[in-house]
């Protein structure tokens, strides 16, 4: 987490390995990269973060990359919905 001078969190990065059970019974453990950049960040901060995020995604060769604005929305249901795209 990175904090600004005013003390609020600018960016949250979460890497997780989640047990995902497919509809056909298969089980996989996808590595997910979930990042959050709260509304209200200055455009310069957003651009700087986007560049470093993209470099990380390319370097680590991540394929399941998701963005979320409100970390309270980060639930198992939300993650399952996002992972459903990769069936």
């Amino acid at each position: 987490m990175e904090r600004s001078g005013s003390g609020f969190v600018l960016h949250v990065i979460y890497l997780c390995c989640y047990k995902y059970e497919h509809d056909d019974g298969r089980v996989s453990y996808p590595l997910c990269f979930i990042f959050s950049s709260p509304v209200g960040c200055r455009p310069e901060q957003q651009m700087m973060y986007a560049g470093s995020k993209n470099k990380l995604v390319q370097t680590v060769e991540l394929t399941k990359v998701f963005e979320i604005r409100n970390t309270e929305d980060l639930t198992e249901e939300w993650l399952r919905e996002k992972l459903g795209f990769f069936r």
Side-chain angles (χ1 to χ4, degrees):
M1 268 192 257
E2 179 183 333
R3 294 191 181 273
S4 71
S6 62
F8 68 89
V9 175
L10 296 177
H11 309 292
V12 176
I13 299 172
Y14 181 66
L15 282 170
C16 74
C17 187
Y18 176 77
K19 180 180 178 181
Y20 183 74
E21 296 180 21
H22 298 266
D23 293 338
D24 62 3
R26 292 176 299 127
V27 175
S28 61
Y29 296 88
L31 178 63
C32 306
F33 177 57
I34 303 166
F35 60 97
S36 174
S37 182
V39 176
C41 286
R42 294 187 319 233
E44 300 84 18
Q45 292 170 323
Q46 294 282 5
M47 288 173 47
M48 195 168 75
Y49 176 65
S52 60
K53 174 196 63 95
N54 291 339
K55 180 67 174 168
L56 175 65
V57 168
Q58 291 172 353
T59 301
V60 183
E61 298 179 4
L62 296 167
T63 58
K64 293 163 184 68
V65 179
F66 310 114
E67 179 176 7
I68 192 164
R69 288 291 181 180
N70 184 350
T71 54
E72 292 176 5
D73 293 337
L74 181 55
T75 63
E76 184 173 358
E77 180 181 337
W78 179 88
L79 185 56
R80 286 190 64 79
E81 179 182 315
K82 295 295 183 183
L83 290 173
F85 175 78
F86 295 96
R87 293 179 193 193

